[in-house]
Amino acid sequence: MSTVTLEAVSKHYGDAVAVARVDLDVAQGELVVLLGPSGCGKTTTLRMIAGFIEATSGTIRIGARDVTNDPPYRRNVGLVFQNYALFPHLTVFENVAFGLRRRKVAEADIARRVASALEMVQLGALAQRLPRQMSGGQQQRVALARALVIEPDVLLLDEPLSNLDAKLRQDVRVEIRRLQQSLGLTTIMVTHDQEEAMTMGDRLVVMSGGLVQQTGSPRALYQRPANRFVAGFVGRSNFLDGRATGSGFVTKSGWQLRADHDLGAAGTLMLRPEAIQVGTGGPNEASGTVEDVTYLGAATELSVRLDGGDFLFVHETVDAGRSRGDRIALTVPPAALVGLSD
Amino acid sequence: MVRGRNAGERAGRAVYNLAVAGGFVFMVLPILLVLWLSLFSNEILTFPPDGYSLRWYQGLLGQQQFIAGFLTSLQVAVLATVLGLLVSVPASLALTRLEFRGRQAILQLLLAPLVVPAIVIGTSLYVLFVEIEIATDLPAVGSVVGLSLAHVLITIPWCVRLVTANLIGVNPAIEEAAASLGARPATVVFKVTLPLIWPGIVAAGLFGFVTSFGNLEISLFLIAPGQTTLPIAILQYLAWKIDPTIAAVSAMQILVIAAGLLITDRFVSLSRVV
Ligand SMILES: Nc1ncnc2c1ncn2[C@@H]1O[C@H](COP(=O)(O)OP(=O)(O)OP(=O)(O)O)[C@@H](O)[C@H]1O
Ligand SMILES: [Mg+2]
């Protein structure tokens, strides 16, 4: 296992910029998730690391090795694809053995290593099956074993779960995370599912339009998003336009909120729906009318129009049986205010 | 009611079935007719026949030109198919896997013999071969190798078409997976790509074989006096005599091709790769 370093890596297609000067440091044993909407450059970034797309500029390092100009077969990366991409003409055993045979590993060692790789993904019994005789979840686990058996310097996963149904997705997600942690695998995963990213990643890289918007732990991204895009992409949020004052924020409609920290020169205030409390009893109170009620299971989402004109989504965890038109009082704890500059 | 609602649909199905049946009859009837005629006992074709016999088949054994023609055609078709595949498979790999200028032009060039009338190809090749003979003193016209090389021209379009279609059908991620596991490009081709498309290659070979085996126009220009292929032998026989011998020869030809198709189909499902 190794570290992975991207230095100002870009990919241009003619005039179109798919990836723009991405910098990234992945530590040994870390799972970094590339997250972003469709077309933001996640796959392109991953494929440049794997060696299938040539970077227009920049440097890619695996460990101390500069692999920018190496062909894929010399990079020693393990790759798992969305559509499994198993060799349909080979048995599960031969699929997993493929990389070892390319490395001229002795036959006895191949048998042993393939067996233990299949054991690792709980498929020891199915070694002689062909891929088409297996379920999607099983195929993806074979793909995982095939990528891991070569002891890659880095494991790359491109939307590994998106072809699986919800239940299986959960299982394979746990399985990947378990293996990744127990083997200490340096891993880069691509997804556009923010929940998947939050639950699996040690660190998230949020991309948009080929640019990295923010890099950080799930907690950091959630609590201190760098900008409106990140805040909107990671979790649900309220945005209020206005300006920061010395002690807090005043919205365009004139609602004055007090913060317990400096909001800098923020022009937008972000409030997470679950950070807003129902009821009175703090410095930032407001009253309004419930415009809509959506039951979410663990919480109820209330759409509230404040008397001052501002609009907020509020998550209430107790089921208070509210309905449209009800009057409601809200309180925003000073710690919940997040200032965004754009 | 279900039946009432489906009346239009059933009418549609009936028309469809009729069209399929019509097409099938249209294609199979001549073949059945040939097989039937080959069993007529009359020397001059008359309907209905006076009786049936196998004497035309027995007679074939005595007709040296048919036996020689059959053997020549077989040699030429096998050689032309093998050479055609040796050119077409690498060419198709390059055409589908590499990016380079003039790709479309090369593809069109390889498919061109399908568009150019065979008689034109035959004439041109004859002129070319004669020039080669004058320049090198090697016997080009009339050699089995020369004829096979000419037939390669007509096996290539079939092979290239089928092989490229099969290559395009391979999921690129599978080849990428192989590369990321440490396989060099040549290893990817031999360990992954070719094993995945071999049914397509077999089918391509079969189509090339059939095309070459039945070709008349190109061979006509390139055989030497005394040499013959099966289609030419048939043509020459017809020039002076019409009796069920021809039907018997054709029946043999049909059986060879049918056997080829059936054997191939046992190994690869032709309907899946063509
Ligand atoms: N071969 C190409 N030629 C031109 N543009 C391309 C090419 N490949 C990708 N792009 C563009 O580069 C951008 C990034 O593509 P990429 O596949 O990396 O997106 P992604 O983030 O993986 O999206 P998704 O979630 O839909 O998979 C897109 O705008 C895409 O249109
Ligand atoms: Mg993608």
Side-chain angles (χ1 to χ4, degrees):
Chain A
M1 278 296 137
S2 239
T3 58
V4 177
T5 313
L6 272 61
E7 286 165 15
V9 171
S10 299
K11 179 64 194 180
H12 297 209
Y13 290 106
D15 287 342
V17 180
V19 172
R21 297 187 63 82
V22 167
D23 290 303
L24 180 64
D25 267 302
V26 185
Q28 158 71 47
E30 188 184 27
L31 194 162
V32 166
V33 179
L34 305 184
L35 176 67
S38 185
C40 72
K42 308 180 293 285
T43 297
T44 306
T45 306
L46 198 78
R47 290 170 62 79
M48 285 194 285
I49 300 171
F52 295 116
I53 297 180
E54 204 181 328
T56 310
S57 61
T59 308
I60 300 170
R61 269 183 248 281
I62 297 178
R65 205 155 48 100
D66 180 347
V67 298
T68 316
N69 298 310
D70 281 358
Y73 58 86
R74 275 207 224 110
R75 293 201 181 190
N76 198 36
V77 300
L79 205 51
V80 175
F81 298 82
Q82 176 175 345
N83 55 22
Y84 327 132
L86 295 178
F87 307 123
H89 60 299
L90 299 179
T91 60
V92 166
F93 182 95
E94 284 303 326
N95 264 277
V96 178
F98 191 91
L100 297 176
R101 295 203 189 285
R102 305 285 81 72
R103 285 161 175 74
K104 309 259 182 291
V105 173
E107 199 61 36
D109 289 338
I110 290 181
R112 188 177 48 76
R113 286 171 67 176
V114 170
S116 82
L118 286 175
E119 221 43 69
M120 208 161 63
V121 294
Q122 283 125 46
L123 286 176
L126 304 184
Q128 294 313 315
R129 291 259 185 104
L130 285 171
R132 64 166 169 275
Q133 300 165 328
M134 311 183 87
S135 73
Q138 289 170 334
Q139 290 189 43
Q140 197 56 302
R141 302 217 302 268
V142 175
L144 201 56
R146 180 179 69 174
L148 293 181
V149 78
I150 61 170
E151 294 172 1
D153 289 327
V154 51
L155 180 63
L156 304 177
L157 310 160
D158 191 356
E159 311 225 8
L161 307 174
S162 52
N163 273 15
L164 307 175
D165 63 42
K167 172 73 179 75
L168 260 176
R169 191 175 303 188
Q170 186 63 38
D171 294 350
V172 179
R173 182 196 289 181
V174 170
E175 179 129 17
I176 290 177
R177 187 61 166 152
R178 175 178 67 77
L179 283 172
Q180 186 267 328
Q181 287 180 328
S182 66
L183 301 176
L185 298 169
T186 306
T187 304
I188 303 175
M189 184 175 105
V190 160
T191 182
H192 56 249
D193 179 333
Q194 58 112 353
E195 190 205 329
E196 199 170 290
M198 299 283 278
T199 53
M200 290 182 76
D202 293 314
R203 230 156 25 108
L204 273 48
V205 177
V206 180
M207 297 180 69
S208 164
L211 288 164
V212 172
Q213 300 292 328
Q214 190 175 2
T215 304
S217 69
R219 180 170 283 114
L221 254 56
Y222 192 80
Q223 295 180 345
R224 295 186 303 282
N227 55 40
R228 196 167 169 149
F229 177 84
V230 175
F233 202 78
V234 180
R236 199 103 161 82
S237 20
N238 293 293
F239 297 107
L240 300 173
D241 290 334
R243 64 186 170 80
T245 61
S247 57
F249 194 88
V250 55
T251 67
K252 277 207 172 113
S253 58
W255 184 22
Q256 303 213 12
L257 292 114
R258 235 177 62 206
D260 61 359
H261 54 286
D262 186 16
L263 298 183
T268 304
L269 177 68
M270 196 274 287
L271 297 173
R272 294 291 183 190
E274 71 280 3
I276 302 170
Q277 292 163 6
V278 177
T280 55
N284 302 320
E285 287 177 13
S287 56
T289 310
V290 175
E291 287 195 341
D292 207 355
V293 179
T294 309
Y295 182 64
L296 301 176
T300 305
E301 181 171 279
L302 309 171
S303 310
V304 179
R305 175 69 62 188
L306 299 181
D307 297 340
D310 288 307
F311 181 87
L312 293 174
F313 288 112
V314 179
H315 286 182
E316 188 178 24
T317 44
V318 289
D319 194 353
R322 290 177 208 286
S323 56
R324 189 182 301 200
D326 287 358
R327 294 289 298 162
I328 191 168
L330 300 176
T331 302
V332 180
L337 275 67
V338 179
L340 303 174
S341 49
D342 56 344
Chain B
M1 233 181 80
V2 175
R3 272 172 186 282
R5 185 169 58 84
N6 282 345
E9 197 177 300
R10 280 193 300 140
R13 274 212 78 76
V15 170
Y16 172 79
N17 287 338
L18 211 66
V20 171
F24 190 71
V25 168
F26 182 75
M27 291 195 293
V28 167
L29 204 59
I31 294 175
L32 292 179
L33 205 61
V34 165
L35 295 177
W36 188 38
L37 287 176
S38 72
L39 299 172
F40 283 16
S41 60
N42 305 43
E43 185 143 346
I44 295 177
L45 289 172
T46 47
F47 287 95
D50 295 336
Y52 295 96
S53 90
L54 285 173
R55 69 184 176 113
W56 307 113
Y57 286 93
Q58 284 161 354
L60 277 186
L61 296 176
Q63 310 259 16
Q64 197 47 50
Q65 77 273 28
F66 287 130
I67 310 242
F70 176 83
L71 290 177
T72 310
S73 284
L74 198 63
Q75 281 174 2
V76 168
V78 168
L79 212 57
T81 302
V82 171
L83 291 175
L85 284 174
L86 285 179
V87 174
S88 302
V89 173
S92 305
L93 279 166
L95 287 169
T96 53
R97 295 295 186 265
L98 305 178
E99 290 282 338
F100 55 92
R101 281 172 63 87
R103 231 175 39 149
Q104 270 306 316
I106 291 175
L107 180 62
Q108 291 314 318
L109 192 71
L110 290 172
L111 297 180
L114 278 184
V115 189
V116 179
I119 202 96
V120 174
I121 299 177
T123 323
S124 328
L125 283 176
Y126 178 67
V127 175
L128 176 70
F129 278 26
V130 168
E131 291 293 333
I132 290 174
E133 283 187 3
I134 292 170
T136 64
D137 262 354
L138 294 171
V141 176
S143 74
V144 168
V145 173
L147 194 54
S148 303
L149 286 176
H151 276 214
V152 169
L153 273 186
I154 50 171
T155 60
I156 282 177
W158 286 104
C159 295
V160 168
R161 269 190 163 191
L162 276 168
V163 176
T164 50
N166 276 269
L167 281 172
I168 289 167
V170 174
N171 175 5
I174 294 176
E175 292 173 336
E176 290 175 358
S180 77
L181 290 167
R184 289 158 179 281
T187 314
V188 175
V189 167
F190 284 106
K191 294 281 177 190
V192 177
T193 313
L194 292 182
L196 286 182
I197 64 155
W198 81 265
I201 295 178
V202 172
L206 188 76
F207 273 73
F209 178 87
V210 170
T211 311
S212 164
F213 195 71
N215 176 274
L216 172 68
E217 299 94 327
I218 292 179
S219 309
L220 212 45
F221 287 93
L222 302 178
I223 51 159
Q227 196 192 19
T228 188
T229 67
L230 192 55
I232 292 177
I234 293 173
L235 184 71
Q236 284 168 345
Y237 189 86
L238 280 174
W240 59 279
K241 202 167 174 192
I242 296 182
D243 67 23
T245 300
I246 292 305
V249 175
S250 303
M252 296 306 294
Q253 210 178 357
I254 291 167
L255 289 178
V256 167
I257 292 172
L261 281 169
L262 285 175
I263 292 170
T264 311
D265 199 55
R266 277 191 68 92
F267 294 103
V268 302
S269 172
L270 286 179
S271 57
R272 289 236 313 270
V273 289
V274 178

